[in-house]
Amino acid sequence: MQIKKNLRVSFVISVVLIIVVFSCNNGEIKETEDKTNSVITYADNISFILFKNCTPCHRPNQAGPFNLLTYTDAKRNAKKIKFVTQTHYMPPWPADAAYTHFVDERILSADEIEQIKTWVDNGCLAGDTTKVKAPTFYEGSFFGKPDVVVKLQESIPIKGNGTDHFYMVKIPFELKHDTFVRFIEFVPQQRKLAHHVNGHLLNYEDGKKKDVFKGISYYKDIPGGDKDVYKLMGLLNDDGTYPVLTPNLVYYLPGYTPPVYPENIGGYKLNKKGSFFLKNLHYGPSAHDCLDSSTLNIFYGPKLVRPIQETQLGTFGIAPVEPALNIPANAVKTFMSRWVTPIDLSILSVNPHMHLLGKTFWAFALTPQGDTVRLIKINKWDFKWQYYYTFKHPLKIPAGSTVYAYGMYDNTDKNPYNPFHPPRDCKERNDFMSMGTTEEMFQFIFTYLRYQPGDEQIDLEKRKSF
Ligand code: HEC
Protein backbone atom coordinates (compact mmCIF):
# COMPACT_ATOMS: atom_id res chain seq x y z
CA MET A 1 0.00 0.00 0.00
CA GLN A 2 2.70 2.34 1.16
CA ILE A 3 4.77 1.60 -1.94
CA LYS A 4 1.87 2.23 -4.28
CA LYS A 5 1.20 5.54 -2.65
CA ASN A 6 4.81 6.58 -3.01
CA LEU A 7 4.77 5.63 -6.63
CA ARG A 8 1.67 7.65 -7.22
CA VAL A 9 3.21 10.64 -5.47
CA SER A 10 6.41 10.43 -7.46
CA PHE A 11 4.40 10.03 -10.67
CA VAL A 12 2.46 13.17 -9.88
CA ILE A 13 5.70 15.01 -9.06
CA SER A 14 7.27 13.87 -12.31
CA VAL A 15 4.30 15.03 -14.35
CA VAL A 16 4.37 18.38 -12.63
CA LEU A 17 8.12 18.64 -13.19
CA ILE A 18 7.81 17.77 -16.85
CA ILE A 19 5.09 20.39 -17.31
CA VAL A 20 7.25 22.96 -15.53
CA VAL A 21 10.29 22.12 -17.63
CA PHE A 22 8.25 22.25 -20.82
CA SER A 23 6.74 25.59 -20.03
CA CYS A 24 9.98 27.13 -18.74
CA ASN A 25 12.18 25.94 -21.50
CA ASN A 26 9.75 25.53 -24.29
CA GLY A 27 11.88 26.36 -27.33
CA GLU A 28 14.82 24.13 -26.56
CA ILE A 29 12.87 21.03 -25.67
CA LYS A 30 10.63 21.36 -28.68
CA GLU A 31 13.61 21.41 -30.98
CA THR A 32 15.07 18.17 -29.68
CA GLU A 33 11.61 16.63 -29.72
CA ASP A 34 11.23 17.46 -33.39
CA LYS A 35 14.54 15.89 -34.26
CA THR A 36 13.95 12.56 -32.56
CA ASN A 37 10.46 12.28 -33.96
CA SER A 38 11.27 13.60 -37.42
CA VAL A 39 11.00 11.06 -40.18
CA ILE A 40 14.13 10.46 -42.20
CA THR A 41 13.33 9.79 -45.83
CA TYR A 42 15.34 9.18 -48.95
CA ALA A 43 13.81 12.23 -50.63
CA ASP A 44 14.41 14.69 -47.79
CA ASN A 45 17.66 13.47 -46.26
CA ILE A 46 19.49 10.46 -47.63
CA SER A 47 19.57 11.32 -51.34
CA PHE A 48 21.61 14.49 -50.65
CA ILE A 49 24.18 12.58 -48.59
CA LEU A 50 24.60 9.88 -51.23
CA PHE A 51 24.76 12.26 -54.22
CA LYS A 52 27.51 14.33 -52.64
CA ASN A 53 29.62 11.57 -51.11
CA CYS A 54 28.97 8.34 -53.00
CA THR A 55 27.52 8.92 -56.48
CA PRO A 56 30.76 10.43 -57.92
CA CYS A 57 32.09 6.84 -57.85
CA HIS A 58 28.89 4.81 -57.58
CA ARG A 59 27.38 5.45 -61.03
CA PRO A 60 27.75 3.86 -64.46
CA ASN A 61 31.31 3.66 -65.78
CA GLN A 62 32.89 4.64 -62.49
CA ALA A 63 34.89 2.67 -59.94
CA GLY A 64 32.10 1.82 -57.50
CA PRO A 65 30.75 -1.75 -57.79
CA PHE A 66 27.08 -0.61 -57.93
CA ASN A 67 25.11 2.59 -58.67
CA LEU A 68 23.71 4.95 -56.08
CA LEU A 69 21.63 7.17 -58.32
CA THR A 70 18.05 6.30 -57.38
CA TYR A 71 15.88 5.34 -54.43
CA THR A 72 15.77 1.74 -55.71
CA ASP A 73 19.61 1.63 -55.84
CA ALA A 74 19.85 2.91 -52.29
CA LYS A 75 17.15 0.64 -50.89
CA ARG A 76 18.60 -2.44 -52.55
CA ASN A 77 22.01 -1.77 -50.97
CA ALA A 78 20.72 -0.29 -47.71
CA LYS A 79 22.24 -2.81 -45.29
CA LYS A 80 25.65 -2.56 -46.94
CA ILE A 81 25.45 1.24 -46.97
CA LYS A 82 24.71 1.27 -43.26
CA PHE A 83 27.63 -1.07 -42.60
CA VAL A 84 30.26 0.76 -44.66
CA THR A 85 29.28 4.16 -43.23
CA GLN A 86 29.22 2.93 -39.63
CA THR A 87 32.69 1.45 -40.09
CA HIS A 88 33.98 4.53 -42.01
CA TYR A 89 35.03 2.25 -44.87
CA MET A 90 33.13 4.50 -47.31
CA PRO A 91 33.53 7.10 -48.63
CA PRO A 92 37.25 6.31 -48.86
CA TRP A 93 39.17 9.21 -47.30
CA PRO A 94 42.25 8.05 -45.40
CA ALA A 95 43.37 11.53 -44.24
CA ASP A 96 42.40 12.45 -40.67
CA ALA A 97 39.97 15.37 -41.02
CA ALA A 98 40.52 16.28 -37.39
CA TYR A 99 44.11 17.12 -38.36
CA THR A 100 43.89 18.92 -41.72
CA HIS A 101 41.24 19.71 -44.31
CA PHE A 102 41.61 19.41 -48.07
CA VAL A 103 39.79 20.27 -51.29
CA ASP A 104 37.11 17.72 -52.27
CA GLU A 105 37.22 16.12 -48.85
CA ARG A 106 34.73 13.29 -48.72
CA ILE A 107 33.75 12.44 -45.17
CA LEU A 108 30.41 12.00 -43.50
CA SER A 109 29.57 13.88 -40.30
CA ALA A 110 28.49 11.88 -37.25
CA ASP A 111 25.00 13.24 -37.86
CA GLU A 112 24.92 12.02 -41.47
CA ILE A 113 26.10 8.56 -40.42
CA GLU A 114 23.36 8.49 -37.78
CA GLN A 115 20.74 9.59 -40.31
CA ILE A 116 21.70 6.72 -42.61
CA LYS A 117 21.45 4.26 -39.73
CA THR A 118 18.01 5.55 -38.65
CA TRP A 119 16.82 5.49 -42.24
CA VAL A 120 17.85 1.87 -42.74
CA ASP A 121 16.58 0.74 -39.31
CA ASN A 122 13.19 2.32 -40.02
CA GLY A 123 12.75 0.44 -43.27
CA CYS A 124 14.18 2.91 -45.85
CA LEU A 125 11.27 5.33 -46.13
CA ALA A 126 11.06 6.82 -49.61
CA GLY A 127 9.34 10.18 -49.05
CA ASP A 128 8.30 12.13 -52.11
CA THR A 129 10.83 10.81 -54.62
CA THR A 130 9.31 12.83 -57.47
CA LYS A 131 11.16 15.87 -56.12
CA VAL A 132 14.56 14.11 -56.05
CA LYS A 133 16.90 15.08 -58.87
CA ALA A 134 20.13 13.14 -59.27
CA PRO A 135 22.98 15.51 -60.18
CA THR A 136 24.12 15.48 -63.78
CA PHE A 137 27.62 14.14 -64.14
CA TYR A 138 29.99 14.81 -66.99
CA GLU A 139 30.58 12.36 -69.80
CA GLY A 140 34.18 12.14 -70.86
CA SER A 141 35.35 15.20 -68.95
CA PHE A 142 34.65 16.89 -65.67
CA PHE A 143 35.47 20.31 -67.07
CA GLY A 144 34.00 20.57 -70.54
CA LYS A 145 35.45 20.29 -74.02
CA PRO A 146 39.19 19.67 -74.01
CA ASP A 147 41.46 21.33 -76.61
CA VAL A 148 43.03 18.03 -77.58
CA VAL A 149 42.23 14.43 -76.76
CA VAL A 150 45.30 12.18 -76.92
CA LYS A 151 44.69 8.46 -77.35
CA LEU A 152 46.82 5.46 -76.46
CA GLN A 153 48.79 4.20 -79.45
CA GLU A 154 47.30 0.77 -78.97
CA SER A 155 44.87 -0.79 -76.51
CA ILE A 156 46.32 -2.44 -73.45
CA PRO A 157 45.35 -6.05 -72.80
CA ILE A 158 44.19 -6.87 -69.28
CA LYS A 159 44.17 -10.55 -68.44
CA GLY A 160 41.17 -11.87 -66.56
CA ASN A 161 43.31 -13.78 -64.09
CA GLY A 162 42.20 -12.08 -60.88
CA THR A 163 45.50 -10.31 -60.19
CA ASP A 164 46.62 -6.67 -60.27
CA HIS A 165 48.31 -5.39 -63.43
CA PHE A 166 50.97 -2.69 -63.66
CA TYR A 167 51.89 -1.12 -66.96
CA MET A 168 54.21 1.58 -68.21
CA VAL A 169 52.70 3.32 -71.19
CA LYS A 170 53.87 6.01 -73.54
CA ILE A 171 51.49 8.36 -75.30
CA PRO A 172 53.57 10.28 -77.85
CA PHE A 173 52.36 13.37 -79.69
CA GLU A 174 53.48 15.82 -82.30
CA LEU A 175 51.89 19.27 -82.38
CA LYS A 176 52.18 22.13 -84.88
CA HIS A 177 54.09 24.29 -82.39
CA ASP A 178 55.14 24.47 -78.73
CA THR A 179 52.28 25.34 -76.43
CA PHE A 180 51.22 25.73 -72.82
CA VAL A 181 48.95 23.38 -70.97
CA ARG A 182 46.80 24.30 -68.03
CA PHE A 183 46.10 20.77 -66.85
CA ILE A 184 45.59 17.23 -68.05
CA GLU A 185 42.74 14.92 -67.26
CA PHE A 186 43.10 11.16 -67.46
CA VAL A 187 39.87 9.51 -68.66
CA PRO A 188 39.94 5.77 -68.06
CA GLN A 189 38.01 3.54 -70.38
CA GLN A 190 37.97 0.56 -68.01
CA ARG A 191 36.74 2.62 -65.09
CA LYS A 192 36.04 -0.39 -62.91
CA LEU A 193 39.63 -1.57 -63.33
CA ALA A 194 41.75 1.58 -63.64
CA HIS A 195 43.00 2.08 -60.16
CA HIS A 196 45.82 4.50 -60.21
CA VAL A 197 47.87 6.42 -62.76
CA ASN A 198 50.98 8.42 -62.26
CA GLY A 199 52.52 9.91 -65.38
CA HIS A 200 55.28 12.27 -66.49
CA LEU A 201 55.73 14.51 -69.49
CA LEU A 202 58.82 14.09 -71.66
CA ASN A 203 59.69 17.12 -73.78
CA TYR A 204 62.06 16.69 -76.73
CA GLU A 205 64.11 19.73 -77.55
CA ASP A 206 64.33 20.88 -81.14
CA GLY A 207 66.27 18.44 -83.33
CA LYS A 208 66.81 15.89 -80.55
CA LYS A 209 64.23 13.34 -81.63
CA LYS A 210 63.17 12.34 -85.10
CA ASP A 211 60.36 9.87 -84.44
CA VAL A 212 58.47 10.01 -81.16
CA PHE A 213 56.22 7.14 -82.20
CA LYS A 214 58.97 4.54 -82.54
CA GLY A 215 59.44 1.85 -79.86
CA ILE A 216 56.98 -0.31 -77.97
CA SER A 217 54.04 1.64 -76.62
CA TYR A 218 53.46 -0.25 -73.39
CA TYR A 219 55.45 -2.41 -71.06
CA LYS A 220 54.12 -4.80 -68.43
CA ASP A 221 55.80 -3.82 -65.22
CA ILE A 222 56.97 -6.85 -63.30
CA PRO A 223 58.91 -6.14 -60.12
CA GLY A 224 62.51 -6.82 -60.98
CA GLY A 225 61.73 -6.58 -64.67
CA ASP A 226 63.78 -4.93 -67.37
CA LYS A 227 65.50 -1.75 -66.23
CA ASP A 228 65.99 -0.33 -69.68
CA VAL A 229 62.38 0.66 -70.15
CA TYR A 230 63.36 4.05 -71.56
CA LYS A 231 65.34 2.37 -74.31
CA LEU A 232 62.77 -0.34 -75.00
CA MET A 233 60.00 2.19 -75.33
CA GLY A 234 62.06 4.53 -77.50
CA LEU A 235 61.82 7.36 -74.99
CA LEU A 236 65.43 8.54 -75.09
CA ASN A 237 66.71 11.33 -77.32
CA ASP A 238 68.27 10.05 -80.57
CA ASP A 239 71.76 10.51 -79.09
CA GLY A 240 70.87 8.28 -76.11
CA THR A 241 70.49 11.10 -73.57
CA TYR A 242 67.39 11.61 -71.46
CA PRO A 243 64.73 14.11 -72.57
CA VAL A 244 63.52 16.85 -70.22
CA LEU A 245 61.10 15.32 -67.74
CA THR A 246 58.27 17.09 -65.91
CA PRO A 247 57.16 14.73 -63.17
CA ASN A 248 53.66 13.65 -62.23
CA LEU A 249 51.43 15.84 -64.31
CA VAL A 250 49.07 13.03 -65.18
CA TYR A 251 47.44 11.66 -62.12
CA TYR A 252 44.36 9.55 -61.51
CA LEU A 253 42.62 7.69 -58.76
CA PRO A 254 38.94 6.70 -58.67
CA GLY A 255 36.92 9.78 -57.74
CA TYR A 256 39.84 12.15 -58.38
CA THR A 257 39.56 15.29 -60.49
CA PRO A 258 42.68 17.35 -61.23
CA PRO A 259 42.93 20.53 -59.20
CA VAL A 260 42.47 23.59 -61.37
CA TYR A 261 44.52 26.41 -59.99
CA PRO A 262 43.90 30.14 -60.53
CA GLU A 263 45.10 31.50 -63.90
CA ASN A 264 48.62 32.47 -62.84
CA ILE A 265 49.44 29.24 -61.00
CA GLY A 266 50.63 26.02 -62.52
CA GLY A 267 50.59 24.84 -66.10
CA TYR A 268 53.26 23.21 -68.21
CA LYS A 269 55.09 23.89 -71.40
CA LEU A 270 54.56 21.29 -74.09
CA ASN A 271 57.24 21.16 -76.75
CA LYS A 272 55.81 20.27 -80.11
CA LYS A 273 57.41 16.84 -79.91
CA GLY A 274 56.87 14.95 -76.71
CA SER A 275 55.41 12.00 -74.97
CA PHE A 276 53.38 11.36 -71.89
CA PHE A 277 54.95 8.55 -69.95
CA LEU A 278 52.50 6.81 -67.65
CA LYS A 279 55.10 5.38 -65.35
CA ASN A 280 52.59 3.61 -63.24
CA LEU A 281 49.27 2.55 -64.73
CA HIS A 282 47.67 0.20 -62.24
CA TYR A 283 44.60 -1.93 -63.03
CA GLY A 284 42.80 -3.90 -60.35
CA PRO A 285 42.01 -7.61 -60.83
CA SER A 286 39.59 -8.53 -63.63
CA ALA A 287 37.49 -11.66 -63.98
CA HIS A 288 37.70 -11.68 -67.78
CA ASP A 289 40.17 -10.66 -70.50
CA CYS A 290 39.58 -7.15 -71.82
CA LEU A 291 41.27 -4.20 -73.50
CA ASP A 292 41.76 -0.65 -72.24
CA SER A 293 41.96 2.44 -74.45
CA SER A 294 41.99 5.29 -71.98
CA THR A 295 42.51 8.88 -73.17
CA LEU A 296 44.07 12.11 -71.98
CA ASN A 297 42.14 15.37 -72.19
CA ILE A 298 44.49 18.29 -72.70
CA PHE A 299 43.38 21.81 -71.76
CA TYR A 300 45.60 24.58 -73.13
CA GLY A 301 46.45 27.53 -70.93
CA PRO A 302 48.23 30.87 -70.80
CA LYS A 303 52.00 31.29 -70.62
CA LEU A 304 53.54 30.09 -67.38
CA VAL A 305 53.70 32.63 -64.59
CA ARG A 306 54.17 30.54 -61.46
CA PRO A 307 55.03 26.96 -62.42
CA ILE A 308 54.34 24.32 -59.79
CA GLN A 309 57.35 22.47 -58.40
CA GLU A 310 57.28 19.00 -56.96
CA THR A 311 59.70 17.24 -54.69
CA GLN A 312 59.82 14.33 -52.28
CA LEU A 313 61.38 13.17 -49.06
CA GLY A 314 62.33 9.51 -48.56
CA THR A 315 62.88 6.87 -51.28
CA PHE A 316 64.46 8.53 -54.36
CA GLY A 317 64.01 11.84 -52.54
CA ILE A 318 65.97 14.90 -51.41
CA ALA A 319 66.31 13.47 -47.88
CA PRO A 320 66.96 9.83 -46.94
CA VAL A 321 64.73 7.45 -45.00
CA GLU A 322 66.01 7.22 -41.41
CA PRO A 323 66.98 4.53 -40.56
CA ALA A 324 67.28 2.64 -43.85
CA LEU A 325 63.93 1.09 -44.86
CA ASN A 326 64.56 -2.43 -43.60
CA ILE A 327 61.50 -4.05 -42.08
CA PRO A 328 62.28 -7.44 -40.57
CA ALA A 329 59.67 -10.18 -40.71
CA ASN A 330 57.25 -9.99 -37.76
CA ALA A 331 58.27 -6.43 -36.87
CA VAL A 332 56.27 -3.22 -36.58
CA LYS A 333 58.65 -0.36 -37.26
CA THR A 334 58.54 3.42 -37.73
CA PHE A 335 60.73 5.38 -40.15
CA MET A 336 61.14 9.05 -40.81
CA SER A 337 62.57 11.54 -43.24
CA ARG A 338 63.29 15.23 -42.63
CA TRP A 339 64.42 18.18 -44.63
CA VAL A 340 65.06 21.88 -43.96
CA THR A 341 63.60 24.23 -46.54
CA PRO A 342 66.00 26.98 -47.66
CA ILE A 343 63.17 29.13 -49.06
CA ASP A 344 59.65 30.18 -48.08
CA LEU A 345 57.27 27.62 -49.57
CA SER A 346 53.59 27.73 -50.43
CA ILE A 347 52.55 24.10 -50.26
CA LEU A 348 49.71 23.23 -52.63
CA SER A 349 49.29 19.48 -52.21
CA VAL A 350 50.74 16.48 -50.41
CA ASN A 351 50.92 12.83 -51.43
CA PRO A 352 52.06 10.26 -48.88
CA HIS A 353 53.26 7.04 -50.48
CA MET A 354 53.83 3.59 -49.00
CA HIS A 355 52.91 0.11 -50.15
CA LEU A 356 51.12 -2.82 -48.53
CA LEU A 357 52.98 -2.90 -45.21
CA GLY A 358 52.15 0.77 -44.51
CA LYS A 359 50.09 1.33 -41.38
CA THR A 360 50.11 5.05 -40.46
CA PHE A 361 51.56 8.23 -41.96
CA TRP A 362 52.16 11.64 -40.43
CA ALA A 363 53.80 14.78 -41.78
CA PHE A 364 54.21 18.29 -40.39
CA ALA A 365 56.70 21.15 -40.40
CA LEU A 366 58.37 22.87 -37.47
CA THR A 367 59.18 26.54 -38.05
CA PRO A 368 62.31 28.22 -36.64
CA GLN A 369 59.97 29.96 -34.15
CA GLY A 370 58.83 26.54 -32.93
CA ASP A 371 55.36 26.61 -34.48
CA THR A 372 53.93 23.42 -35.96
CA VAL A 373 52.42 23.53 -39.44
CA ARG A 374 50.16 20.50 -39.82
CA LEU A 375 50.44 18.72 -43.16
CA ILE A 376 48.70 15.35 -43.07
CA LYS A 377 47.89 12.46 -40.79
CA ILE A 378 46.67 9.06 -41.92
CA ASN A 379 45.68 6.82 -39.05
CA LYS A 380 44.80 3.81 -41.15
CA TRP A 381 46.89 3.54 -44.29
CA ASP A 382 45.14 2.06 -47.32
CA PHE A 383 47.27 1.24 -50.35
CA LYS A 384 44.20 1.53 -52.57
CA TRP A 385 43.55 5.23 -51.87
CA GLN A 386 46.65 7.34 -52.43
CA TYR A 387 45.38 10.81 -53.16
CA TYR A 388 47.20 14.01 -53.90
CA TYR A 389 45.57 16.00 -51.13
CA THR A 390 45.20 19.67 -52.13
CA PHE A 391 45.00 22.28 -49.38
CA LYS A 392 42.11 24.74 -49.50
CA HIS A 393 44.63 27.58 -49.47
CA PRO A 394 48.38 27.44 -50.14
CA LEU A 395 50.08 26.62 -46.87
CA LYS A 396 53.10 28.74 -45.97
CA ILE A 397 56.21 27.03 -44.63
CA PRO A 398 58.86 29.65 -43.85
CA ALA A 399 62.54 29.22 -44.75
CA GLY A 400 64.49 27.36 -42.07
CA SER A 401 61.54 25.11 -41.17
CA THR A 402 62.07 21.38 -40.94
CA VAL A 403 59.57 19.17 -42.73
CA TYR A 404 59.13 15.84 -40.94
CA ALA A 405 57.45 12.72 -42.29
CA TYR A 406 56.87 9.55 -40.26
CA GLY A 407 55.63 6.22 -41.54
CA MET A 408 54.81 3.10 -39.55
CA TYR A 409 55.00 -0.32 -41.21
CA ASP A 410 53.50 -3.59 -40.04
CA ASN A 411 55.31 -6.65 -41.34
CA THR A 412 53.47 -9.11 -39.10
CA ASP A 413 50.87 -11.73 -39.88
CA LYS A 414 48.28 -9.42 -38.32
CA ASN A 415 48.51 -7.03 -41.27
CA PRO A 416 45.81 -8.35 -43.64
CA TYR A 417 47.51 -6.66 -46.62
CA ASN A 418 50.87 -8.31 -45.96
CA PRO A 419 51.64 -9.99 -49.31
CA PHE A 420 53.58 -12.76 -47.54
CA HIS A 421 52.33 -15.27 -45.00
CA PRO A 422 54.49 -16.08 -43.16
CA PRO A 423 56.04 -12.59 -43.37
CA ARG A 424 59.42 -12.14 -45.07
CA ASP A 425 62.18 -9.63 -44.34
CA CYS A 426 61.63 -6.52 -46.43
CA LYS A 427 64.94 -4.91 -47.39
CA GLU A 428 65.52 -1.38 -48.57
CA ARG A 429 66.26 -1.00 -52.26
CA ASN A 430 66.77 2.28 -53.99
CA ASP A 431 66.37 1.07 -57.53
CA PHE A 432 63.58 0.55 -60.01
CA MET A 433 62.59 -2.69 -58.27
CA SER A 434 61.43 -0.86 -55.14
CA MET A 435 58.34 0.17 -57.10
CA GLY A 436 56.99 -3.40 -57.12
CA THR A 437 53.95 -3.52 -54.84
CA THR A 438 55.40 -6.29 -52.70
CA GLU A 439 58.53 -4.21 -52.04
CA GLU A 440 58.33 -1.13 -49.84
CA MET A 441 58.76 2.60 -50.35
CA PHE A 442 58.53 5.56 -48.01
CA GLN A 443 57.86 8.84 -49.75
CA PHE A 444 56.39 12.15 -48.79
CA ILE A 445 55.72 13.95 -52.07
CA PHE A 446 54.52 17.56 -52.19
CA THR A 447 53.85 20.27 -54.75
CA TYR A 448 54.68 23.89 -53.99
CA LEU A 449 55.30 27.40 -55.22
CA ARG A 450 57.89 29.86 -54.05
CA TYR A 451 55.95 31.81 -51.42
CA GLN A 452 54.58 35.24 -52.32
CA PRO A 453 52.71 37.49 -49.89
CA GLY A 454 48.97 36.91 -50.22
CA ASP A 455 49.29 33.23 -51.16
CA GLU A 456 47.38 32.26 -48.01
CA GLN A 457 44.31 34.00 -49.43
CA ILE A 458 44.25 32.11 -52.72
CA ASP A 459 41.19 29.86 -52.86
CA LEU A 460 42.25 26.52 -54.34
CA GLU A 461 38.77 25.12 -53.99
CA LYS A 462 37.33 27.36 -56.68
CA ARG A 463 37.40 25.50 -59.96
CA LYS A 464 37.20 27.47 -63.13
CA SER A 465 34.72 26.04 -65.61
CA PHE A 466 35.84 25.74 -69.20
C1 HEC B 1 36.27 7.52 -54.50
C2 HEC B 1 35.31 6.55 -54.98
C3 HEC B 1 34.23 6.06 -54.03
C4 HEC B 1 33.41 6.80 -53.23
C5 HEC B 1 33.38 8.31 -53.07
C6 HEC B 1 32.55 5.86 -52.56
N1 HEC B 1 32.85 4.59 -52.96
FE1 HEC B 1 31.97 2.90 -52.26
N2 HEC B 1 33.33 1.80 -53.30
C7 HEC B 1 34.25 2.27 -54.20
C8 HEC B 1 35.02 1.17 -54.72
C9 HEC B 1 36.13 1.28 -55.76
C10 HEC B 1 34.55 0.01 -54.11
C11 HEC B 1 35.02 -1.43 -54.34
C12 HEC B 1 36.37 -1.69 -53.79
C13 HEC B 1 36.45 -1.57 -52.34
O1 HEC B 1 35.61 -2.17 -51.63
O2 HEC B 1 37.37 -0.89 -51.88
C14 HEC B 1 33.49 0.44 -53.20
C15 HEC B 1 32.77 -0.43 -52.38
C16 HEC B 1 31.62 -0.06 -51.68
C17 HEC B 1 30.79 -0.97 -50.94
C18 HEC B 1 31.08 -2.44 -50.73
C19 HEC B 1 30.47 -3.26 -51.77
C20 HEC B 1 30.64 -4.71 -51.44
O3 HEC B 1 29.71 -5.43 -51.73
O4 HEC B 1 31.69 -5.09 -50.91
C21 HEC B 1 29.74 -0.25 -50.45
C22 HEC B 1 28.54 -0.77 -49.65
C23 HEC B 1 29.94 1.12 -50.84
N3 HEC B 1 31.10 1.20 -51.58
C24 HEC B 1 29.13 2.17 -50.49
C25 HEC B 1 29.50 3.51 -50.60
C26 HEC B 1 28.79 4.61 -49.99
C27 HEC B 1 27.52 4.47 -49.17
C28 HEC B 1 29.48 5.74 -50.29
C29 HEC B 1 29.19 7.15 -49.85
C30 HEC B 1 28.86 7.35 -48.46
C31 HEC B 1 30.62 5.35 -51.11
N4 HEC B 1 30.59 3.99 -51.27
C32 HEC B 1 31.56 6.23 -51.64
C33 HEC B 1 34.44 3.59 -54.53
C34 HEC B 1 33.86 4.67 -53.85
Side-chain angles (χ1 to χ4, degrees), residues 190-226:
Q190 296 289 352
R191 283 192 185 268
K192 302 254 185 270
L193 298 178
H195 207 287
H196 161 223
V197 177
N198 206 349
H200 307 324
L201 167 68
L202 304 174
N203 269 324
Y204 297 104
E205 285 165 41
D206 237 5
K208 289 249 176 171
K209 184 99 177 156
K210 238 201 210 125
D211 186 358
V212 290
F213 299 96
K214 229 166 100 182
I216 59 168
S217 73
Y218 63 81
Y219 174 81
K220 197 157 168 40
D221 183 15
I222 321 149
D226 205 306

Side-chain angles (χ1 to χ4, degrees), residues 153-430:
Q153 275 179 293
E154 53 185 322
S155 304
I156 298 174
I158 303 171
K159 275 245 166 289
N161 57 3
T163 64
D164 285 81
H165 304 273
F166 296 87
Y167 279 97
M168 296 192 182
V169 181
K170 77 163 177 179
I171 309 174
F173 57 85
E174 207 171 332
L175 306 167
K176 288 203 184 80
H177 44 77
D178 296 355
T179 185
F180 293 96
V181 162
R182 188 86 188 283
F183 64 91
I184 292 161
E185 183 184 19
F186 180 83
V187 185
Q189 187 198 26
Q190 296 289 352
R191 283 192 185 268
K192 302 254 185 270
L193 298 178
H195 207 287
H196 161 223
V197 177
N198 206 349
H200 307 324
L201 167 68
L202 304 174
N203 269 324
Y204 297 104
E205 285 165 41
D206 237 5
K208 289 249 176 171
K209 184 99 177 156
K210 238 201 210 125
D211 186 358
V212 290
F213 299 96
K214 229 166 100 182
I216 59 168
S217 73
Y218 63 81
Y219 174 81
K220 197 157 168 40
D221 183 15
I222 321 149
D226 205 306
K227 290 176 198 168
D228 272 339
V229 182
Y230 270 74
K231 232 185 237 165
L232 268 172
M233 298 183 76
L235 294 169
L236 297 174
N237 289 320
D238 290 338
D239 62 5
T241 56
Y242 282 85
V244 183
L245 184 144
T246 313
N248 301 346
L249 81 177
V250 183
Y251 191 74
Y252 174 81
L253 261 177
Y256 170 89
T257 44
V260 178
Y261 295 115
E263 283 277 334
N264 63 340
I265 293 179
Y268 310 92
K269 180 162 184 254
L270 229 65
N271 287 4
K272 62 178 188 255
K273 277 189 182 185
S275 184
F276 295 103
F277 177 41
L278 310 183
K279 186 192 71 183
N280 205 330
L281 172 55
H282 174 184
Y283 299 106
S286 172
H288 54 273
D289 290 359
C290 59
L291 294 169
D292 180 47
S293 336
S294 296
T295 48
L296 296 182
N297 288 340
I298 315 277
F299 292 83
Y300 289 157
K303 222 173 144 154
L304 305 189
V305 184
R306 300 183 71 190
I308 296 172
Q309 318 275 334
E310 180 174 295
T311 193
Q312 68 208 33
L313 273 60
T315 316
F316 304 135
I318 50 175
V321 185
E322 302 176 38
L325 193 63
N326 292 319
I327 317 159
N330 303 310
V332 175
K333 210 170 154 182
T334 300
F335 299 86
M336 64 101 77
S337 187
R338 61 188 146 171
W339 168 77
V340 180
T341 173
I343 55 165
D344 288 352
L345 301 174
S346 282
I347 305 273
L348 300 173
S349 69
V350 291
N351 171 228
H353 181 61
M354 306 193 283
H355 290 175
L356 298 163
L357 300 181
K359 206 69 191 159
T360 64
F361 195 102
W362 183 26
F364 59 89
L366 260 184
T367 69
Q369 289 74 35
D371 294 328
T372 304
V373 183
R374 295 173 174 200
L375 291 168
I376 189 164
K377 206 161 163 225
I378 293 178
N379 302 316
K380 203 171 160 209
W381 176 257
D382 188 336
F383 177 71
K384 275 187 304 201
W385 303 107
Q386 308 208 24
Y387 298 105
Y388 266 73
Y389 295 92
T390 305
F391 289 102
K392 297 193 173 197
H393 304 276
L395 193 64
K396 183 180 178 186
I397 299 189
S401 303
T402 310
V403 178
Y404 290 91
Y406 288 87
M408 187 168 89
Y409 293 79
D410 181 349
N411 194 7
T412 68
D413 249 337
K414 285 206 192 99
N415 178 354
Y417 303 107
N418 199 331
F420 301 113
H421 297 282
R424 291 186 202 164
D425 287 350
C426 182
K427 294 235 170 69
E428 174 173 63
R429 43 187 337 140
N430 275 312

Side-chain angles (χ1 to χ4, degrees), residues 25-175:
N25 212 346
N26 210 1
E28 207 175 297
I29 283 183
K30 208 153 184 278
E31 206 174 281
T32 38
E33 281 257 300
D34 270 349
K35 207 162 182 185
T36 40
N37 287 345
S38 73
V39 178
I40 295 196
T41 65
Y42 176 78
D44 288 326
N45 314 88
I46 302 304
S47 56
F48 299 103
I49 303 175
L50 301 185
F51 291 157
K52 178 165 179 283
N53 297 285
C54 320
T55 315
C57 297
H58 288 270
R59 62 187 164 103
N61 292 326
Q62 290 292 338
F66 55 86
N67 294 340
L68 283 174
L69 277 164
T70 62
Y71 169 68
T72 320
D73 292 340
K75 185 163 189 261
R76 188 182 300 137
N77 295 291
K79 282 218 173 86
K80 282 199 275 182
I81 294 172
K82 178 180 154 189
F83 179 75
V84 296
T85 50
Q86 291 281 311
T87 52
H88 301 271
Y89 181 63
M90 289 280 147
W93 189 259
D96 183 351
Y99 194 68
T100 30
H101 291 292
F102 298 98
V103 171
D104 280 345
E105 191 166 79
R106 265 189 221 108
I107 33 167
L108 299 182
S109 66
D111 180 52
E112 287 169 325
I113 295 172
E114 193 55 30
Q115 284 187 45
I116 292 176
K117 180 177 179 289
T118 311
W119 178 68
V120 177
D121 292 348
N122 289 350
C124 307
L125 301 175
D128 179 6
T129 52
T130 55
K131 64 183 187 188
V132 177
K133 262 213 152 89
T136 41
F137 289 95
Y138 65 101
E139 270 300 322
S141 171
F142 185 75
F143 302 98
K145 194 171 177 302
D147 294 297
V148 183
V149 177
V150 187
K151 296 196 169 84
L152 297 188
Q153 275 179 293
E154 53 185 322
S155 304
I156 298 174
I158 303 171
K159 275 245 166 289
N161 57 3
T163 64
D164 285 81
H165 304 273
F166 296 87
Y167 279 97
M168 296 192 182
V169 181
K170 77 163 177 179
I171 309 174
F173 57 85
E174 207 171 332
L175 306 167

